[in-house]
Amino acid sequence: MAFCKACGQDAGQAAFCPKCGAPQSASQPTYQSAPPIAGGSSAPSGAPAAEYPTAGIDENVAGLLCYIFWWISGLIFLLIDKRPFVKFHAAQDIAFNLAMVAVGIVFWIVVAFLTFVTALMHFPIGFLFAFLWPVVALAFLGTWIFLMYKAYNHEMFKLPIIGDMVEKMVNK
């Protein structure tokens, strides 16, 4: 009877322990304690170079996930994933979110200016431009959903200005 060197469970003639999963052959390394938890590197040091943290995620799903949590998920995938398709969508997500912030700031500056100018003319209707904000927000939301759809369908859809800049950055 053979016992697991990691947990002491009866392993019999199995190549791996039925309780903890530790390899039992002499040529393979054994764990001194429990196997590594999620987030730790469980790949052996001789693992192929193509292995990376997002290796188990399909390219189209990873492209979709780049857009899920706004710029944060884009930044995470840009830093950890090496596939060109995923890096493109991650970088485009970050650039799209920066553009949304810039457009939002410019929009509210223009609304404040128009409100101030029309108030000076004793015709205070400039504040009514603020009611255009939902239209702008819906346009951004629609674009965001469209980008997720295109990434999931494995298409490298480029936004008109942002897409070209991102493509040049990713292809360097």
Side-chain angles (χ1 to χ4, degrees), residues 109-149:
I109 288 172
V110 168
V111 167
F113 177 76
L114 289 175
T115 300
F116 180 72
V117 169
T118 56
L120 285 177
M121 296 176 5
H122 301 291
F123 192 60
I125 62 166
F127 72 93
L128 294 177
F129 288 103
F131 293 115
L132 290 177
W133 179 248
V135 175
V136 173
L138 281 174
F140 280 130
L141 179 65
T143 305
W144 180 59
I145 292 170
F146 181 74
L147 288 171
M148 287 192 284
Y149 172 77

Side-chain angles (χ1 to χ4, degrees), residues 154-168:
H154 211 271
E155 297 179 36
M156 294 240 332
F157 178 79
K158 295 187 307 184
L159 291 170
I161 297 170
I162 297 170
D164 294 328
M165 293 187 305
V166 164
E167 189 174 40
K168 288 176 189 174

Side-chain angles (χ1 to χ4, degrees), residues 5-136:
K5 296 174 184 170
C7 70
Q9 173 75 22
D10 179 18
Q13 296 301 101
F16 295 94
C17 174
K19 182 178 179 185
C20 70
Q24 297 301 307
S25 68
S27 64
Q28 295 179 351
T30 59
Y31 295 112
Q32 297 300 328
S33 60
I37 57 173
S41 176
S42 61
S45 60
E51 293 295 322
Y52 39 85
T54 58
I57 302 175
D58 290 336
E59 211 173 36
N60 64 332
V61 174
L64 166 75
L65 290 175
C66 289
Y67 294 99
I68 292 292
F69 296 111
W70 302 99
W71 63 272
I72 296 169
S73 57
L75 181 63
I76 291 170
F77 276 96
L78 185 64
L79 294 175
I80 66 172
D81 206 317
K82 304 299 178 210
R83 297 174 284 189
F85 178 79
V86 178
K87 285 183 77 160
F88 169 78
H89 281 287
Q92 182 165 269
D93 173 54
I94 294 168
F96 176 66
N97 283 284
L98 288 174
M100 283 194 313
V101 168
V103 167
I105 290 171
V106 168
F107 177 83
W108 287 109
I109 288 172
V110 168
V111 167
F113 177 76
L114 289 175
T115 300
F116 180 72
V117 169
T118 56
L120 285 177
M121 296 176 5
H122 301 291
F123 192 60
I125 62 166
F127 72 93
L128 294 177
F129 288 103
F131 293 115
L132 290 177
W133 179 248
V135 175
V136 173

